[in-house]
Amino acid sequence: MGSNEEKRNLETIPVGSLGIIALESCKDMGAKIDEYLVKWRAERENEHKESLAFSGYMRPSYLLKTKIPRFGSGEAKGLILESVRGSDLYLLVDVCNYSLTYSLCGQENHMSPDDHFQDLKRIIAAVGGKARRITVIMPFLYESRQHKRTARESLDCAMALQEMVNMGVDNIITFDAHDPRVQNAIPLHGFETVQPAYQFIKGLLKNVKGLNIDSDHMMVISPDEGGMGRAIYLANVLGLDMGMFYKRRDYTQVVNGRNPIVAHEFLGSSVEGKDVIIMDDMISSGESVLEVAANLKSRKANRIFVCSTFGLFTNGLDRFDKAFEEGIIYRVLTTNLIYQSPELLSREWYINCDMSKYIAYIIDTLNHDTSISDLLNPVERIQKIVTRYKMDEL
């Protein structure tokens, strides 16, 4: 975003005094978001200096102090160390931050998504209903991969959403939900799933020279049928063709609880000589996205860019290092919405897409009860940055 768009023009009265609670899992992101808000509001404040409705509008920080101490047994409690009465609260949590540990009967325990979700509930409980409004910003939606029932199985994501709403959460903001239909579990409450499409394009254009963004030189690929919507959106906004893979499975046998994949079948026009953007919502082990990349290479694709909102890299980075050395992938772009290991950040093939400014815009706008539709559909911003790239202004 250019500096002309740096500060949103928010004239309305804030819903309540702004408070941000960044749980330990989201501390770095919280600090960055806070920096933006402090800066914007200091510049905006002079317009509203005397107004009572804007008291506490400009503060040195909007982050509230909280603690979640643990007992020796591993049990815990949530503490909020300052007043939240009447506040408009935004809680940030990263359920994928496995780098955090706690002591359990003298042993070191790494925090799982379950631990993080439990901590979030502890903080909501500590608020004790005193806040004006509670918005949970949970970039990776807890249990979002357990979104539908095919056998006698639990519906964990739906249960988690209902649990939050029953505790008094008004809005839930997530990014690139595995299946946005999970919001059917809470039809009367706010649920936004935000696409980081603009940040991917920005990351790509700022870090890669010599891209020809037209249908003769570039294509967007969805690695499976689930991610079609994402790829279609990007292809339409950039004026490119798209293709997709589907997994051919052997339904006669079950391995590790699922039908094994026999092959990745490709549907779409020729990728020969074209740069390819593979759009996905998450890289878990990375196995399937690397198979797709190898398949595209065998079809003579040029450079391959993998864009994925969440880079979990559950089996480490070796496979990606190897694929990079072999020229199968050129760059991998993921966001800082979840924990990134120092090893990942140091990789030559990795491009980090920072989402903190975007989240700061969302929080600032919602605190003023102003529409965020223009933030959720970044067509104009994408087209503007592509134009600047073509004119060599980036």
PDB file of all heavy atoms in Angstrom, residues 12 89 145 170 191 206-207 293 369:
ATOM      1  N   THR A  12     -15.716   8.074  12.476  1.00  0.00           N
ATOM      2  CA  THR A  12     -16.767   7.694  13.426  1.00  0.00           C
ATOM      3  C   THR A  12     -16.213   7.537  14.844  1.00  0.00           C
ATOM      4  O   THR A  12     -15.006   7.438  15.048  1.00  0.00           O
ATOM      5  CB  THR A  12     -17.399   6.344  13.013  1.00  0.00           C
ATOM      6  OG1 THR A  12     -16.326   5.399  12.856  1.00  0.00           O
ATOM      7  CG2 THR A  12     -18.135   6.463  11.697  1.00  0.00           C
ATOM      8  N   LEU A  89     -12.243  -5.382  22.724  1.00  0.00           N
ATOM      9  CA  LEU A  89     -11.060  -6.250  22.819  1.00  0.00           C
ATOM     10  C   LEU A  89     -10.819  -7.069  21.560  1.00  0.00           C
ATOM     11  O   LEU A  89     -11.749  -7.611  20.961  1.00  0.00           O
ATOM     12  CB  LEU A  89     -11.210  -7.222  23.992  1.00  0.00           C
ATOM     13  CG  LEU A  89     -11.156  -6.676  25.409  1.00  0.00           C
ATOM     14  CD1 LEU A  89     -11.189  -7.828  26.406  1.00  0.00           C
ATOM     15  CD2 LEU A  89      -9.903  -5.829  25.629  1.00  0.00           C
ATOM     16  N   ARG A 145      -9.233 -28.355   9.898  1.00  0.00           N
ATOM     17  CA  ARG A 145      -9.153 -29.479   8.958  1.00  0.00           C
ATOM     18  C   ARG A 145     -10.154 -30.568   9.330  1.00  0.00           C
ATOM     19  O   ARG A 145     -10.409 -31.483   8.552  1.00  0.00           O
ATOM     20  CB  ARG A 145      -7.730 -30.044   8.945  1.00  0.00           C
ATOM     21  CG  ARG A 145      -6.748 -29.001   8.438  1.00  0.00           C
ATOM     22  CD  ARG A 145      -5.327 -29.386   8.719  1.00  0.00           C
ATOM     23  NE  ARG A 145      -4.826 -30.355   7.758  1.00  0.00           N
ATOM     24  CZ  ARG A 145      -3.583 -30.804   7.754  1.00  0.00           C
ATOM     25  NH1 ARG A 145      -2.729 -30.364   8.666  1.00  0.00           N
ATOM     26  NH2 ARG A 145      -3.197 -31.678   6.875  1.00  0.00           N
ATOM     27  N   ASP A 170     -17.920 -12.107  20.127  1.00  0.00           N
ATOM     28  CA  ASP A 170     -18.860 -11.537  19.150  1.00  0.00           C
ATOM     29  C   ASP A 170     -18.454 -11.825  17.711  1.00  0.00           C
ATOM     30  O   ASP A 170     -19.301 -12.092  16.868  1.00  0.00           O
ATOM     31  CB  ASP A 170     -18.952 -10.017  19.350  1.00  0.00           C
ATOM     32  CG  ASP A 170     -19.467  -9.679  20.734  1.00  0.00           C
ATOM     33  OD1 ASP A 170     -20.683  -9.678  20.906  1.00  0.00           O
ATOM     34  OD2 ASP A 170     -18.639  -9.469  21.643  1.00  0.00           O
ATOM     35  N   PHE A 191     -18.297 -13.921  11.446  1.00  0.00           N
ATOM     36  CA  PHE A 191     -17.209 -14.831  11.087  1.00  0.00           C
ATOM     37  C   PHE A 191     -16.653 -14.353   9.752  1.00  0.00           C
ATOM     38  O   PHE A 191     -17.376 -14.317   8.765  1.00  0.00           O
ATOM     39  CB  PHE A 191     -17.729 -16.271  10.970  1.00  0.00           C
ATOM     40  CG  PHE A 191     -16.670 -17.282  10.583  1.00  0.00           C
ATOM     41  CD1 PHE A 191     -16.016 -18.028  11.554  1.00  0.00           C
ATOM     42  CD2 PHE A 191     -16.338 -17.492   9.254  1.00  0.00           C
ATOM     43  CE1 PHE A 191     -15.045 -18.961  11.216  1.00  0.00           C
ATOM     44  CE2 PHE A 191     -15.364 -18.423   8.895  1.00  0.00           C
ATOM     45  CZ  PHE A 191     -14.719 -19.155   9.882  1.00  0.00           C
ATOM     46  N   LYS A 206       7.801  -7.868  -5.250  1.00  0.00           N
ATOM     47  CA  LYS A 206       8.906  -7.141  -4.631  1.00  0.00           C
ATOM     48  C   LYS A 206      10.197  -7.959  -4.618  1.00  0.00           C
ATOM     49  O   LYS A 206      11.276  -7.404  -4.493  1.00  0.00           O
ATOM     50  CB  LYS A 206       8.541  -6.738  -3.202  1.00  0.00           C
ATOM     51  CG  LYS A 206       7.573  -5.560  -3.175  1.00  0.00           C
ATOM     52  CD  LYS A 206       7.592  -4.829  -1.853  1.00  0.00           C
ATOM     53  CE  LYS A 206       6.977  -3.449  -2.013  1.00  0.00           C
ATOM     54  NZ  LYS A 206       6.736  -2.751  -0.768  1.00  0.00           N
ATOM     55  N   ASN A 207      10.073  -9.283  -4.721  1.00  0.00           N
ATOM     56  CA  ASN A 207      11.254 -10.130  -4.570  1.00  0.00           C
ATOM     57  C   ASN A 207      11.717 -10.820  -5.847  1.00  0.00           C
ATOM     58  O   ASN A 207      12.779 -11.427  -5.861  1.00  0.00           O
ATOM     59  CB  ASN A 207      10.997 -11.196  -3.498  1.00  0.00           C
ATOM     60  CG  ASN A 207      10.926 -10.602  -2.107  1.00  0.00           C
ATOM     61  OD1 ASN A 207      11.937 -10.237  -1.528  1.00  0.00           O
ATOM     62  ND2 ASN A 207       9.719 -10.473  -1.584  1.00  0.00           N
ATOM     63  N   ALA A 293       4.497 -29.895  -7.976  1.00  0.00           N
ATOM     64  CA  ALA A 293       5.550 -29.096  -8.617  1.00  0.00           C
ATOM     65  C   ALA A 293       6.386 -29.960  -9.565  1.00  0.00           C
ATOM     66  O   ALA A 293       6.685 -29.549 -10.694  1.00  0.00           O
ATOM     67  CB  ALA A 293       6.442 -28.451  -7.559  1.00  0.00           C
ATOM     68  N   ASP A 369     -16.273   0.603  13.993  1.00  0.00           N
ATOM     69  CA  ASP A 369     -17.519   0.062  13.450  1.00  0.00           C
ATOM     70  C   ASP A 369     -17.740   0.482  12.000  1.00  0.00           C
ATOM     71  O   ASP A 369     -18.843   0.839  11.602  1.00  0.00           O
ATOM     72  CB  ASP A 369     -18.717   0.516  14.296  1.00  0.00           C
ATOM     73  CG  ASP A 369     -19.445  -0.693  14.870  1.00  0.00           C
ATOM     74  OD1 ASP A 369     -19.086  -1.821  14.476  1.00  0.00           O
ATOM     75  OD2 ASP A 369     -20.350  -0.533  15.700  1.00  0.00           O
TER      76      ASP A 369
END
